[in-house]
Amino acid sequence: MLDEKGFDTWSKSYDASVKQSDENHQYPFAGYEKVLDAIKQEVLRKPKPTILDIGFGTAVLTKQLYDHGCLVYGVDFSKRMLAFAQGKMPEAKLLQADFTEGLPAMLKEQKYDIILSTYAIHHLEDAKKVSFLNDLMQLLKPEGKILLGDVMFAHEDQLLDCKRHAKDAWDEDECYLVVDKLPAFPKTNMNFYPISFCAGILEISKTK
C-alpha cells in the first residue's frame, strides 16, 4: 500500500496509468470511467449539492462536479494531489489528512447532500470500513447519501476469481469491499451496482 510520498510520486502519472488499465479492461481500473460517470450523474440529480469527496486524488471527478456548481469539500493525504486539485478548484475547501485516521474537525462540522469516495475506501480494513461509514452517516443531511466507487465485489467468490486472473498484479495490501460481508446500517437503504468484473458502486441512502 502506498504511503503519502508514494502517492505524491504517483500523482505525476496517475491519470495515465488509470486510463491505460481501464482501456485495456484490466484489474484494478477496469470500469473506472463508467464508475465516475455514474456517480457524477447521481450527484447532479440534485441542483448544486454540498458534497464531501474522500480521497479526491487528481480531482478527475470532483472538478466536473465543481464546474456544475457543487459546493465541494474534500480530503486527501497527498500534498501534491491536493495542490493539483486546488489549482483546478480554487473555491473548493480541500484539506490534507489521512482519512483512515479520521476526518479533520472542520469537515465534521458540516452536513452534506452527498459523501463520495472513489478508489479510496479499500485503504480501510473491513472493521474500520464499518465504523467509518457509520461516522459518515452522521454527516449526511436528512435525504443525503453515500456513494462509493471502487474495486468492489458483490460476493467473496467474485473477489477470489478476480485475484486468480490478476495473478502477480493483485495487490495483497488492499482491502477490497465485498458487499455481502458488509452489515446493514440502521435506517438506510443499501444498493450495489456492478460496473465491471472488478468495479462497482455502493449507494447507502438515509431513510426516515
Side-chain angles (χ1 to χ4, degrees):
M1 186 179 296
L2 293 178
D3 58 11
E4 179 189 336
K5 291 183 179 179
F7 273 99
D8 282 347
T9 301
W10 195 19
S11 66
K12 301 174 184 178
S13 60
Y14 180 86
D15 291 340
S17 62
V18 168
K19 183 178 181 181
Q20 183 178 22
S21 175
D22 188 8
E23 289 179 347
N24 293 333
H25 201 59
Q26 295 174 331
Y27 160 88
F29 292 112
Y32 177 85
E33 288 290 343
K34 290 182 179 179
V35 166
L36 267 57
D37 185 64
I39 290 178
K40 172 187 170 183
Q41 297 305 321
E42 181 61 28
V43 172
L44 295 180
R45 289 178 63 187
K46 185 177 182 67
K48 299 183 179 180
T50 299
I51 67 169
L52 170 60
D53 190 345
I54 298 170
F56 51 77
T58 57
V60 172
L61 171 60
T62 328
K63 174 64 163 60
Q64 296 178 59
L65 300 176
Y66 177 86
D67 289 344
H68 277 83
C70 295
L71 178 58
V72 174
Y73 292 80
V75 60
D76 198 283
F77 79 159
S78 166
K79 290 181 181 178
R80 189 179 294 275
M81 287 188 176
L82 187 147
F84 189 62
Q86 194 74 75
K88 291 181 177 180
M89 307 178 295
E91 301 301 320
K93 298 170 176 61
L94 307 179
L95 299 178
Q96 186 205 2
D98 183 353
F99 77 86
T100 66
E101 303 298 326
L103 294 178
M106 188 196 89
L107 297 179
K108 294 191 286 187
E109 293 170 357
Q110 308 296 323
K111 293 291 184 181
Y112 305 97
D113 296 296
I114 303 285
I115 298 176
L116 65 94
S117 183
T118 54
Y119 293 84
I121 197 72
H122 60 255
H123 294 306
L124 289 171
E125 296 178 356
D126 286 346
K128 283 192 173 183
K129 285 185 182 73
V130 174
S131 59
F132 185 64
L133 290 171
N134 271 316
D135 290 343
L136 294 183
M137 294 300 300
Q138 308 310 309
L139 304 181
L140 289 175
K141 294 181 181 180
E143 296 183 359
K145 63 179 59 178
I146 296 170
L147 297 171
L148 305 176
D150 207 331
V151 177
M152 193 182 301
F153 306 91
H155 311 292
E156 181 77 13
D157 60 344
Q158 294 172 344
L159 180 149
L160 295 175
D161 188 53
C162 181
K163 181 177 180 179
R164 283 192 294 270
H165 283 87
K167 299 180 181 178
D168 292 343
W170 184 261
D171 192 339
E172 294 285 357
D173 291 331
E174 310 293 17
C175 300
Y176 298 126
L177 194 152
V178 177
V179 176
D180 68 0
K181 293 173 63 177
L182 194 66
F185 296 95
K187 296 183 179 180
T188 64
N189 288 323
M190 192 161 67
N191 296 292
F192 174 65
Y193 304 99
I195 301 296
S196 76
F197 70 93
C198 66
I201 297 169
L202 181 66
E203 176 186 87
I204 306 173
S205 56
K206 276 191 162 186
T207 61
K208 294 181 180 179

